[in-house]
Amino acid sequence: MDVIVDLQYGDCGKGKVAHYLVHKHPYTHVLRYNGGCNAGHTIFHKGKKFITHHIPAGVFFGVKSIIGSGCVLDPDQFFREIRMLEKGGVRTRGKIFVAKNTHIITDANKNEDKQKGGKIGTTGRGNGPAYRDKYGRTGVRAVDIRRLKPYLIDLYEEWYPHFDKAQGKVKNIRILAEGAQGFGLDIDWGDYPFVTSSHCTAAGALLNGLPPSSIGDVWGVAKVYETYVGSKKFQPKGEIFNKIADIGEEYGSTTGRRRQTNWMNMQTLERAIRINGVTHIVFNKVDVLRAIGQWAVIDKGKVKKFSSEKGMTDFVGKRLRSLGIQKKNIFFSESKETI
Ligand code: IMP
Ligand code: MG
């Protein structure tokens, strides 16, 4: 299993990296491992823009796409998304599955989140109340919902088939695990209480019935600046940050809210790299800072400015290598469609 994790506050471009990796490697499964339809993954496929909330990127390539037990699922949104994909020409039949033990976001969960989520600035999609009910042992699971029946899957049977009777050999399983939200929103490692209610780190992928030894590459995804959407104050004073938001089109793909921006924080990045065991890293939206013509990061509490793009990428690259990431595994991306 290779894992994709967001190293900041979500919206770093995981969808694009998932799309790229599924194209490149012969994965047998793509697994969404945490979160619900609070996520919004923007994917450009064959020149068309798609926004998915629940369904993993594997579906664009006909790879089995699974919503795992670490997720919470809104059946209405799930069926809306299937219709949207089919309408856009993406075949979903026999490709999309939901783990039997995935918990359900109920109407009551959604109503409650809409009414009370303001303090945190949630997406209002029922995520927090659904996880609370799960851990309070009063939740509803996918296996209890009749209309989900054709999509249900047992993750144990899926991951551990051992032997293909028809072919007389052991089946090969290769999973791409697609995280949602990001390190800064993680329930344990984010800035509590301004967090989401799930495990956004690579460890979260394992909670879907997989052993620690299954992890291969861990692809960290970041932006060359930070964004956050929610109730806490995040953006410092300065017109530059509004400019970054404008040029970067920083509006939430789920709620349309404007994202607050800041320079990239090196210590947040370092924590995320270590805790996730990142082996490969993609920095997105280099084109945005290039359009603005300013290059800076926050390091040890101070803004560190660079006179050129190369100055910044050299600095960041050196820091990453000191954390054990090889130069060939560091990518600075300037395109919406590829890394
Ligand atoms: P919730 O996950 O809807 O409960 O929202 C909790 C916090 O996480 C809020 O600040 C949301 O804006 C943020 N959040 C949740 N999902 C995403 C996402 O996919 N991208 C970015 N922020 C998110
Ligand atoms: Mg998003």
Short mmCIF file of all heavy atoms in Angstrom, two decimals, residues 22-86:
data_model
loop_
_atom_site.label_atom_id
_atom_site.label_comp_id
_atom_site.label_asym_id
_atom_site.label_seq_id
_atom_site.Cartn_x
_atom_site.Cartn_y
_atom_site.Cartn_z
N VAL A 22 -2.33 6.71 -9.81
CA VAL A 22 -3.17 5.63 -10.33
C VAL A 22 -2.85 5.38 -11.80
O VAL A 22 -2.90 4.26 -12.30
CB VAL A 22 -4.67 5.97 -10.15
CG1 VAL A 22 -5.54 4.95 -10.87
CG2 VAL A 22 -5.04 5.98 -8.69
N HIS A 23 -2.50 6.44 -12.47
CA HIS A 23 -2.14 6.38 -13.87
C HIS A 23 -0.83 5.64 -14.06
O HIS A 23 -0.58 4.97 -15.03
CB HIS A 23 -1.99 7.83 -14.35
CG HIS A 23 -2.10 8.00 -15.81
ND1 HIS A 23 -3.28 7.86 -16.47
CD2 HIS A 23 -1.17 8.27 -16.75
CE1 HIS A 23 -3.07 8.06 -17.77
NE2 HIS A 23 -1.79 8.30 -17.95
N LYS A 24 0.06 5.79 -13.07
CA LYS A 24 1.44 5.36 -13.20
C LYS A 24 1.68 3.93 -12.72
O LYS A 24 2.54 3.23 -13.26
CB LYS A 24 2.29 6.31 -12.35
CG LYS A 24 3.67 6.46 -12.88
CD LYS A 24 4.44 7.56 -12.18
CE LYS A 24 5.89 7.17 -12.23
NZ LYS A 24 6.73 7.79 -11.28
N HIS A 25 0.96 3.51 -11.68
CA HIS A 25 1.22 2.20 -11.08
C HIS A 25 0.01 1.28 -11.22
O HIS A 25 -1.12 1.74 -11.21
CB HIS A 25 1.56 2.35 -9.60
CG HIS A 25 2.79 3.15 -9.35
ND1 HIS A 25 4.03 2.78 -9.79
CD2 HIS A 25 2.96 4.33 -8.70
CE1 HIS A 25 4.92 3.69 -9.42
NE2 HIS A 25 4.29 4.66 -8.78
N PRO A 26 0.27 -0.02 -11.29
CA PRO A 26 -0.86 -0.97 -11.46
C PRO A 26 -1.58 -1.28 -10.15
O PRO A 26 -1.57 -2.42 -9.68
CB PRO A 26 -0.16 -2.22 -12.02
CG PRO A 26 1.22 -2.16 -11.44
CD PRO A 26 1.57 -0.71 -11.31
N TYR A 27 -2.19 -0.26 -9.55
CA TYR A 27 -2.92 -0.51 -8.30
C TYR A 27 -4.16 -1.37 -8.58
O TYR A 27 -4.81 -1.19 -9.60
CB TYR A 27 -3.37 0.81 -7.66
CG TYR A 27 -2.22 1.64 -7.18
CD1 TYR A 27 -1.86 2.82 -7.84
CD2 TYR A 27 -1.46 1.25 -6.08
CE1 TYR A 27 -0.78 3.58 -7.40
CE2 TYR A 27 -0.37 2.00 -5.65
CZ TYR A 27 -0.05 3.16 -6.31
OH TYR A 27 1.02 3.91 -5.89
N THR A 28 -4.46 -2.25 -7.64
CA THR A 28 -5.68 -3.04 -7.76
C THR A 28 -6.83 -2.36 -7.02
O THR A 28 -8.00 -2.64 -7.29
CB THR A 28 -5.49 -4.45 -7.19
OG1 THR A 28 -5.01 -4.34 -5.84
CG2 THR A 28 -4.50 -5.25 -8.03
N HIS A 29 -6.49 -1.49 -6.04
CA HIS A 29 -7.52 -0.82 -5.25
C HIS A 29 -7.10 0.62 -4.93
O HIS A 29 -5.91 0.86 -4.70
CB HIS A 29 -7.72 -1.50 -3.89
CG HIS A 29 -8.17 -2.91 -3.95
ND1 HIS A 29 -7.33 -3.95 -4.28
CD2 HIS A 29 -9.38 -3.46 -3.72
CE1 HIS A 29 -8.02 -5.08 -4.24
NE2 HIS A 29 -9.26 -4.82 -3.91
N VAL A 30 -8.06 1.51 -4.87
CA VAL A 30 -7.83 2.82 -4.27
C VAL A 30 -8.76 2.91 -3.05
O VAL A 30 -9.95 2.62 -3.15
CB VAL A 30 -8.09 3.98 -5.25
CG1 VAL A 30 -7.86 5.33 -4.56
CG2 VAL A 30 -7.17 3.86 -6.47
N LEU A 31 -8.17 3.27 -1.92
CA LEU A 31 -8.90 3.26 -0.65
C LEU A 31 -8.97 4.66 -0.06
O LEU A 31 -7.94 5.29 0.18
CB LEU A 31 -8.15 2.34 0.33
CG LEU A 31 -8.54 2.42 1.81
CD1 LEU A 31 -9.89 1.75 2.03
CD2 LEU A 31 -7.47 1.73 2.68
N ARG A 32 -10.19 5.16 0.14
CA ARG A 32 -10.35 6.39 0.95
C ARG A 32 -10.39 5.95 2.40
O ARG A 32 -11.16 5.08 2.76
CB ARG A 32 -11.69 7.05 0.61
CG ARG A 32 -11.63 8.38 -0.16
CD ARG A 32 -10.98 9.54 0.55
NE ARG A 32 -11.71 10.04 1.71
CZ ARG A 32 -12.76 10.82 1.65
NH1 ARG A 32 -13.25 11.23 0.50
NH2 ARG A 32 -13.33 11.23 2.76
N TYR A 33 -9.51 6.47 3.24
CA TYR A 33 -9.38 5.89 4.56
C TYR A 33 -9.87 6.72 5.74
O TYR A 33 -9.94 6.22 6.85
CB TYR A 33 -7.95 5.40 4.81
CG TYR A 33 -6.86 6.46 4.85
CD1 TYR A 33 -6.66 7.22 5.98
CD2 TYR A 33 -6.01 6.63 3.77
CE1 TYR A 33 -5.63 8.15 6.05
CE2 TYR A 33 -4.98 7.56 3.81
CZ TYR A 33 -4.80 8.31 4.96
OH TYR A 33 -3.79 9.23 5.02
N ASN A 34 -10.22 7.97 5.52
CA ASN A 34 -10.75 8.77 6.64
C ASN A 34 -11.68 9.86 6.12
O ASN A 34 -11.69 10.17 4.94
CB ASN A 34 -9.60 9.43 7.42
CG ASN A 34 -8.98 10.58 6.64
OD1 ASN A 34 -8.40 10.39 5.58
ND2 ASN A 34 -9.11 11.80 7.15
N GLY A 35 -12.44 10.42 7.04
CA GLY A 35 -13.28 11.58 6.70
C GLY A 35 -14.56 11.18 5.98
O GLY A 35 -14.83 10.01 5.71
N GLY A 36 -15.35 12.21 5.70
CA GLY A 36 -16.64 11.98 5.03
C GLY A 36 -16.75 12.89 3.83
O GLY A 36 -15.76 13.11 3.13
N CYS A 37 -17.95 13.46 3.64
CA CYS A 37 -18.11 14.33 2.47
C CYS A 37 -17.81 15.78 2.83
O CYS A 37 -18.16 16.70 2.09
CB CYS A 37 -19.47 14.16 1.83
SG CYS A 37 -20.81 14.25 3.00
N ASN A 38 -17.11 15.98 3.97
CA ASN A 38 -16.48 17.28 4.24
C ASN A 38 -15.34 17.52 3.27
O ASN A 38 -14.95 18.64 3.00
CB ASN A 38 -15.97 17.33 5.69
CG ASN A 38 -15.19 16.09 6.10
OD1 ASN A 38 -15.14 15.10 5.39
ND2 ASN A 38 -14.58 16.14 7.28
N ALA A 39 -14.77 16.41 2.74
CA ALA A 39 -13.66 16.52 1.79
C ALA A 39 -14.17 16.98 0.43
O ALA A 39 -15.32 16.75 0.08
CB ALA A 39 -13.00 15.15 1.64
N GLY A 40 -13.31 17.63 -0.30
CA GLY A 40 -13.62 17.97 -1.69
C GLY A 40 -12.36 17.77 -2.50
O GLY A 40 -11.39 18.48 -2.32
N HIS A 41 -12.35 16.75 -3.34
CA HIS A 41 -11.16 16.48 -4.15
C HIS A 41 -11.41 16.90 -5.59
O HIS A 41 -12.32 16.41 -6.25
CB HIS A 41 -10.81 14.98 -4.09
CG HIS A 41 -10.27 14.57 -2.75
ND1 HIS A 41 -9.89 13.30 -2.45
CD2 HIS A 41 -10.05 15.29 -1.63
CE1 HIS A 41 -9.46 13.25 -1.20
NE2 HIS A 41 -9.55 14.45 -0.69
N THR A 42 -10.61 17.86 -6.03
CA THR A 42 -10.77 18.37 -7.39
C THR A 42 -9.84 17.59 -8.31
O THR A 42 -8.64 17.51 -8.08
CB THR A 42 -10.42 19.87 -7.42
OG1 THR A 42 -11.23 20.53 -6.44
CG2 THR A 42 -10.69 20.47 -8.78
N ILE A 43 -10.43 17.02 -9.34
CA ILE A 43 -9.67 16.18 -10.26
C ILE A 43 -9.95 16.61 -11.69
O ILE A 43 -11.10 16.77 -12.09
CB ILE A 43 -10.05 14.69 -10.06
CG1 ILE A 43 -9.53 14.22 -8.70
CG2 ILE A 43 -9.50 13.81 -11.18
CD1 ILE A 43 -10.09 12.91 -8.25
N PHE A 44 -8.87 16.82 -12.46
CA PHE A 44 -9.02 17.10 -13.89
C PHE A 44 -8.77 15.80 -14.63
O PHE A 44 -7.70 15.24 -14.56
CB PHE A 44 -8.03 18.18 -14.34
CG PHE A 44 -8.41 19.55 -13.83
CD1 PHE A 44 -8.01 19.98 -12.57
CD2 PHE A 44 -9.20 20.40 -14.60
CE1 PHE A 44 -8.37 21.23 -12.09
CE2 PHE A 44 -9.57 21.64 -14.13
CZ PHE A 44 -9.15 22.07 -12.87
N HIS A 45 -9.81 15.33 -15.30
CA HIS A 45 -9.70 14.05 -16.00
C HIS A 45 -10.16 14.24 -17.44
O HIS A 45 -11.27 14.70 -17.68
CB HIS A 45 -10.54 13.00 -15.28
CG HIS A 45 -10.49 11.65 -15.93
ND1 HIS A 45 -9.35 10.88 -15.96
CD2 HIS A 45 -11.45 10.94 -16.58
CE1 HIS A 45 -9.61 9.75 -16.59
NE2 HIS A 45 -10.86 9.77 -16.99
N LYS A 46 -9.27 13.92 -18.36
CA LYS A 46 -9.56 14.08 -19.80
C LYS A 46 -10.12 15.47 -20.08
O LYS A 46 -11.15 15.61 -20.77
CB LYS A 46 -10.52 12.99 -20.28
CG LYS A 46 -9.91 11.60 -20.23
CD LYS A 46 -10.84 10.59 -20.85
CE LYS A 46 -10.24 9.20 -20.79
NZ LYS A 46 -11.23 8.16 -21.04
N GLY A 47 -9.48 16.47 -19.48
CA GLY A 47 -9.86 17.85 -19.74
C GLY A 47 -11.12 18.33 -19.04
O GLY A 47 -11.53 19.47 -19.20
N LYS A 48 -11.74 17.45 -18.24
CA LYS A 48 -12.96 17.84 -17.52
C LYS A 48 -12.67 17.95 -16.03
O LYS A 48 -11.88 17.18 -15.50
CB LYS A 48 -14.03 16.75 -17.70
CG LYS A 48 -15.12 17.11 -18.67
CD LYS A 48 -16.27 16.12 -18.52
CE LYS A 48 -16.86 15.79 -19.87
NZ LYS A 48 -17.62 14.56 -19.90
N LYS A 49 -13.34 18.94 -15.38
CA LYS A 49 -13.14 19.09 -13.94
C LYS A 49 -14.22 18.33 -13.17
O LYS A 49 -15.41 18.49 -13.44
CB LYS A 49 -13.22 20.59 -13.60
CG LYS A 49 -13.03 20.88 -12.13
CD LYS A 49 -13.02 22.39 -11.89
CE LYS A 49 -13.09 22.71 -10.42
NZ LYS A 49 -12.98 24.16 -10.16
N PHE A 50 -13.78 17.51 -12.23
CA PHE A 50 -14.72 16.79 -11.37
C PHE A 50 -14.41 17.13 -9.91
O PHE A 50 -13.24 17.25 -9.55
CB PHE A 50 -14.55 15.28 -11.52
CG PHE A 50 -14.97 14.74 -12.87
CD1 PHE A 50 -14.07 14.71 -13.93
CD2 PHE A 50 -16.26 14.28 -13.07
CE1 PHE A 50 -14.45 14.21 -15.16
CE2 PHE A 50 -16.64 13.77 -14.31
CZ PHE A 50 -15.74 13.74 -15.35
N ILE A 51 -15.44 17.30 -9.08
CA ILE A 51 -15.21 17.43 -7.64
C ILE A 51 -15.88 16.24 -6.96
O ILE A 51 -17.10 16.08 -7.05
CB ILE A 51 -15.75 18.75 -7.09
CG1 ILE A 51 -14.98 19.93 -7.72
CG2 ILE A 51 -15.60 18.80 -5.55
CD1 ILE A 51 -15.46 21.30 -7.29
N THR A 52 -15.07 15.41 -6.32
CA THR A 52 -15.64 14.28 -5.59
C THR A 52 -15.51 14.55 -4.09
O THR A 52 -14.60 15.25 -3.65
CB THR A 52 -14.91 12.96 -5.91
OG1 THR A 52 -13.53 13.11 -5.55
CG2 THR A 52 -15.01 12.62 -7.38
N HIS A 53 -16.46 14.02 -3.32
CA HIS A 53 -16.42 14.20 -1.87
C HIS A 53 -16.17 12.88 -1.16
O HIS A 53 -15.48 12.83 -0.16
CB HIS A 53 -17.73 14.84 -1.39
CG HIS A 53 -17.97 16.18 -2.01
ND1 HIS A 53 -17.31 17.31 -1.61
CD2 HIS A 53 -18.76 16.56 -3.04
CE1 HIS A 53 -17.71 18.34 -2.36
NE2 HIS A 53 -18.58 17.91 -3.23
N HIS A 54 -16.73 11.82 -1.71
CA HIS A 54 -16.61 10.51 -1.08
C HIS A 54 -15.75 9.54 -1.89
O HIS A 54 -14.98 8.77 -1.35
CB HIS A 54 -17.99 9.86 -0.95
CG HIS A 54 -18.70 10.17 0.32
ND1 HIS A 54 -18.07 10.15 1.54
CD2 HIS A 54 -19.99 10.51 0.56
CE1 HIS A 54 -18.97 10.46 2.47
NE2 HIS A 54 -20.12 10.69 1.91
N ILE A 55 -15.95 9.55 -3.17
CA ILE A 55 -15.46 8.45 -4.01
C ILE A 55 -14.01 8.67 -4.42
O ILE A 55 -13.64 9.72 -4.91
CB ILE A 55 -16.39 8.29 -5.24
CG1 ILE A 55 -17.79 7.87 -4.73
CG2 ILE A 55 -15.83 7.26 -6.23
CD1 ILE A 55 -18.86 7.82 -5.79
N PRO A 56 -13.16 7.65 -4.19
CA PRO A 56 -11.72 7.78 -4.48
C PRO A 56 -11.42 7.88 -5.99
O PRO A 56 -12.24 7.48 -6.82
CB PRO A 56 -11.13 6.48 -3.92
CG PRO A 56 -12.18 5.84 -3.11
CD PRO A 56 -13.49 6.36 -3.59
N ALA A 57 -10.22 8.39 -6.27
CA ALA A 57 -9.82 8.71 -7.64
C ALA A 57 -9.68 7.49 -8.54
O ALA A 57 -9.64 7.63 -9.77
CB ALA A 57 -8.51 9.49 -7.62
N GLY A 58 -9.59 6.29 -7.98
CA GLY A 58 -9.41 5.09 -8.77
C GLY A 58 -10.50 4.90 -9.81
O GLY A 58 -10.27 4.36 -10.90
N VAL A 59 -11.66 5.39 -9.49
CA VAL A 59 -12.82 5.18 -10.36
C VAL A 59 -12.60 5.78 -11.76
O VAL A 59 -13.11 5.27 -12.74
CB VAL A 59 -14.10 5.74 -9.69
CG1 VAL A 59 -14.12 7.27 -9.67
CG2 VAL A 59 -15.34 5.18 -10.35
N PHE A 60 -11.78 6.82 -11.84
CA PHE A 60 -11.52 7.45 -13.14
C PHE A 60 -10.75 6.51 -14.07
O PHE A 60 -10.70 6.70 -15.27
CB PHE A 60 -10.74 8.76 -12.96
CG PHE A 60 -11.57 9.82 -12.31
CD1 PHE A 60 -11.51 10.04 -10.94
CD2 PHE A 60 -12.45 10.59 -13.06
CE1 PHE A 60 -12.28 11.01 -10.34
CE2 PHE A 60 -13.23 11.57 -12.47
CZ PHE A 60 -13.15 11.78 -11.10
N PHE A 61 -10.10 5.50 -13.49
CA PHE A 61 -9.32 4.56 -14.30
C PHE A 61 -9.88 3.15 -14.22
O PHE A 61 -9.18 2.19 -14.54
CB PHE A 61 -7.86 4.57 -13.84
CG PHE A 61 -7.21 5.87 -14.12
CD1 PHE A 61 -7.09 6.81 -13.13
CD2 PHE A 61 -6.75 6.17 -15.39
CE1 PHE A 61 -6.51 8.03 -13.39
CE2 PHE A 61 -6.17 7.39 -15.67
CZ PHE A 61 -6.05 8.33 -14.66
N GLY A 62 -11.08 3.02 -13.73
CA GLY A 62 -11.67 1.69 -13.64
C GLY A 62 -11.03 0.82 -12.58
O GLY A 62 -11.13 -0.40 -12.62
N VAL A 63 -10.32 1.44 -11.60
CA VAL A 63 -9.72 0.67 -10.51
C VAL A 63 -10.74 0.61 -9.37
O VAL A 63 -11.42 1.59 -9.07
CB VAL A 63 -8.42 1.33 -10.00
CG1 VAL A 63 -7.81 0.53 -8.86
CG2 VAL A 63 -7.42 1.47 -11.14
N LYS A 64 -10.82 -0.56 -8.74
CA LYS A 64 -11.74 -0.76 -7.63
C LYS A 64 -11.54 0.32 -6.57
O LYS A 64 -10.43 0.47 -6.04
CB LYS A 64 -11.43 -2.12 -7.01
CG LYS A 64 -12.63 -2.96 -6.78
CD LYS A 64 -12.20 -4.35 -6.32
CE LYS A 64 -13.41 -5.18 -6.00
NZ LYS A 64 -13.08 -6.52 -5.55
N SER A 65 -12.57 1.07 -6.25
CA SER A 65 -12.45 2.20 -5.34
C SER A 65 -13.29 1.94 -4.10
O SER A 65 -14.48 1.69 -4.20
CB SER A 65 -12.93 3.47 -6.04
OG SER A 65 -12.03 3.78 -7.09
N ILE A 66 -12.62 1.99 -2.96
CA ILE A 66 -13.29 1.57 -1.71
C ILE A 66 -13.34 2.71 -0.70
O ILE A 66 -12.35 3.38 -0.46
CB ILE A 66 -12.55 0.36 -1.10
CG1 ILE A 66 -12.60 -0.81 -2.10
CG2 ILE A 66 -13.16 -0.04 0.24
CD1 ILE A 66 -11.97 -2.07 -1.60
N ILE A 67 -14.51 2.88 -0.12
CA ILE A 67 -14.68 3.80 1.01
C ILE A 67 -14.51 2.95 2.26
O ILE A 67 -15.30 2.04 2.51
CB ILE A 67 -16.04 4.50 0.93
CG1 ILE A 67 -16.04 5.40 -0.33
CG2 ILE A 67 -16.31 5.32 2.19
CD1 ILE A 67 -17.38 5.88 -0.74
N GLY A 68 -13.44 3.21 3.01
CA GLY A 68 -13.03 2.31 4.08
C GLY A 68 -13.72 2.55 5.41
O GLY A 68 -14.47 3.52 5.58
N SER A 69 -13.41 1.67 6.34
CA SER A 69 -14.05 1.70 7.66
C SER A 69 -13.62 2.92 8.49
O SER A 69 -14.26 3.24 9.49
CB SER A 69 -13.72 0.43 8.43
OG SER A 69 -12.31 0.26 8.47
N GLY A 70 -12.55 3.59 8.08
CA GLY A 70 -12.14 4.81 8.78
C GLY A 70 -12.96 6.02 8.38
O GLY A 70 -12.82 7.09 8.97
N CYS A 71 -13.81 5.85 7.37
CA CYS A 71 -14.61 6.97 6.85
C CYS A 71 -15.99 6.99 7.50
O CYS A 71 -16.41 6.03 8.14
CB CYS A 71 -14.81 6.82 5.35
SG CYS A 71 -13.30 6.83 4.39
N VAL A 72 -16.70 8.07 7.29
CA VAL A 72 -18.14 8.12 7.57
C VAL A 72 -18.83 8.49 6.26
O VAL A 72 -18.30 9.29 5.48
CB VAL A 72 -18.50 9.13 8.69
CG1 VAL A 72 -18.11 8.57 10.05
CG2 VAL A 72 -17.84 10.49 8.46
N LEU A 73 -19.98 7.88 6.00
CA LEU A 73 -20.60 8.00 4.68
C LEU A 73 -22.01 8.56 4.74
O LEU A 73 -22.85 8.10 5.50
CB LEU A 73 -20.66 6.61 4.03
CG LEU A 73 -21.27 6.60 2.63
CD1 LEU A 73 -20.17 6.79 1.58
CD2 LEU A 73 -22.02 5.31 2.35
N ASP A 74 -22.24 9.55 3.88
CA ASP A 74 -23.59 10.11 3.70
C ASP A 74 -24.19 9.45 2.45
O ASP A 74 -23.76 9.75 1.33
CB ASP A 74 -23.46 11.63 3.53
CG ASP A 74 -24.77 12.29 3.15
OD1 ASP A 74 -25.76 11.58 2.89
OD2 ASP A 74 -24.80 13.54 3.12
N PRO A 75 -25.14 8.54 2.62
CA PRO A 75 -25.66 7.80 1.46
C PRO A 75 -26.24 8.72 0.38
O PRO A 75 -26.05 8.45 -0.81
CB PRO A 75 -26.75 6.91 2.06
CG PRO A 75 -26.38 6.76 3.48
CD PRO A 75 -25.74 8.05 3.88
N ASP A 76 -26.92 9.82 0.78
CA ASP A 76 -27.47 10.74 -0.24
C ASP A 76 -26.36 11.29 -1.12
O ASP A 76 -26.45 11.31 -2.34
CB ASP A 76 -28.20 11.92 0.41
CG ASP A 76 -29.44 11.46 1.16
OD1 ASP A 76 -29.93 10.36 0.87
OD2 ASP A 76 -29.90 12.21 2.06
N GLN A 77 -25.30 11.75 -0.46
CA GLN A 77 -24.16 12.32 -1.20
C GLN A 77 -23.49 11.25 -2.06
O GLN A 77 -23.08 11.49 -3.19
CB GLN A 77 -23.16 12.94 -0.22
CG GLN A 77 -21.90 13.50 -0.86
CD GLN A 77 -22.20 14.55 -1.91
OE1 GLN A 77 -23.13 15.34 -1.76
NE2 GLN A 77 -21.43 14.56 -2.99
N PHE A 78 -23.39 10.05 -1.52
CA PHE A 78 -22.78 8.93 -2.24
C PHE A 78 -23.50 8.67 -3.56
O PHE A 78 -22.89 8.59 -4.62
CB PHE A 78 -22.82 7.70 -1.32
CG PHE A 78 -22.32 6.42 -1.93
CD1 PHE A 78 -20.96 6.23 -2.16
CD2 PHE A 78 -23.21 5.40 -2.26
CE1 PHE A 78 -20.50 5.04 -2.71
CE2 PHE A 78 -22.76 4.21 -2.81
CZ PHE A 78 -21.40 4.03 -3.03
N PHE A 79 -24.83 8.60 -3.49
CA PHE A 79 -25.58 8.33 -4.72
C PHE A 79 -25.56 9.53 -5.67
O PHE A 79 -25.52 9.36 -6.88
CB PHE A 79 -27.01 7.88 -4.39
CG PHE A 79 -27.05 6.47 -3.85
CD1 PHE A 79 -27.31 6.21 -2.51
CD2 PHE A 79 -26.78 5.39 -4.69
CE1 PHE A 79 -27.32 4.92 -2.02
CE2 PHE A 79 -26.78 4.09 -4.21
CZ PHE A 79 -27.05 3.84 -2.86
N ARG A 80 -25.56 10.76 -5.11
CA ARG A 80 -25.45 11.95 -5.96
C ARG A 80 -24.15 11.92 -6.75
O ARG A 80 -24.09 12.24 -7.92
CB ARG A 80 -25.45 13.21 -5.09
CG ARG A 80 -26.77 13.97 -5.08
CD ARG A 80 -26.60 15.41 -4.64
NE ARG A 80 -25.98 15.59 -3.34
CZ ARG A 80 -26.62 15.46 -2.18
NH1 ARG A 80 -27.91 15.15 -2.15
NH2 ARG A 80 -25.98 15.64 -1.04
N GLU A 81 -23.10 11.50 -6.07
CA GLU A 81 -21.79 11.50 -6.69
C GLU A 81 -21.69 10.44 -7.79
O GLU A 81 -21.10 10.69 -8.84
CB GLU A 81 -20.75 11.21 -5.61
CG GLU A 81 -19.54 12.09 -5.74
CD GLU A 81 -18.71 12.06 -4.48
OE1 GLU A 81 -19.20 12.56 -3.45
OE2 GLU A 81 -17.60 11.54 -4.52
N ILE A 82 -22.28 9.30 -7.55
CA ILE A 82 -22.29 8.26 -8.58
C ILE A 82 -23.01 8.78 -9.83
O ILE A 82 -22.52 8.63 -10.95
CB ILE A 82 -22.96 6.97 -8.05
CG1 ILE A 82 -22.02 6.31 -7.03
CG2 ILE A 82 -23.31 6.01 -9.19
CD1 ILE A 82 -22.57 5.05 -6.39
N ARG A 83 -24.15 9.46 -9.62
CA ARG A 83 -24.89 10.02 -10.77
C ARG A 83 -24.06 11.07 -11.50
O ARG A 83 -24.01 11.10 -12.72
CB ARG A 83 -26.22 10.62 -10.30
CG ARG A 83 -27.26 9.58 -9.90
CD ARG A 83 -28.66 10.19 -9.83
NE ARG A 83 -28.77 11.19 -8.77
CZ ARG A 83 -29.06 10.90 -7.49
NH1 ARG A 83 -29.28 9.65 -7.11
NH2 ARG A 83 -29.14 11.86 -6.59
N MET A 84 -23.36 11.92 -10.72
CA MET A 84 -22.54 12.98 -11.32
C MET A 84 -21.43 12.37 -12.17
O MET A 84 -21.15 12.81 -13.28
CB MET A 84 -21.96 13.83 -10.17
CG MET A 84 -21.04 14.97 -10.53
SD MET A 84 -19.31 14.53 -10.79
CE MET A 84 -18.77 14.09 -9.14
N LEU A 85 -20.78 11.32 -11.66
CA LEU A 85 -19.69 10.68 -12.40
C LEU A 85 -20.21 10.03 -13.68
O LEU A 85 -19.63 10.20 -14.75
CB LEU A 85 -19.00 9.63 -11.51
CG LEU A 85 -18.14 10.19 -10.38
CD1 LEU A 85 -17.76 9.08 -9.40
CD2 LEU A 85 -16.88 10.87 -10.90
N GLU A 86 -21.31 9.30 -13.56
CA GLU A 86 -21.90 8.64 -14.73
C GLU A 86 -22.26 9.68 -15.80
O GLU A 86 -22.00 9.47 -16.98
CB GLU A 86 -23.15 7.85 -14.33
CG GLU A 86 -22.85 6.57 -13.56
CD GLU A 86 -22.32 5.44 -14.46
OE1 GLU A 86 -22.53 5.51 -15.69
OE2 GLU A 86 -21.71 4.49 -13.92
#
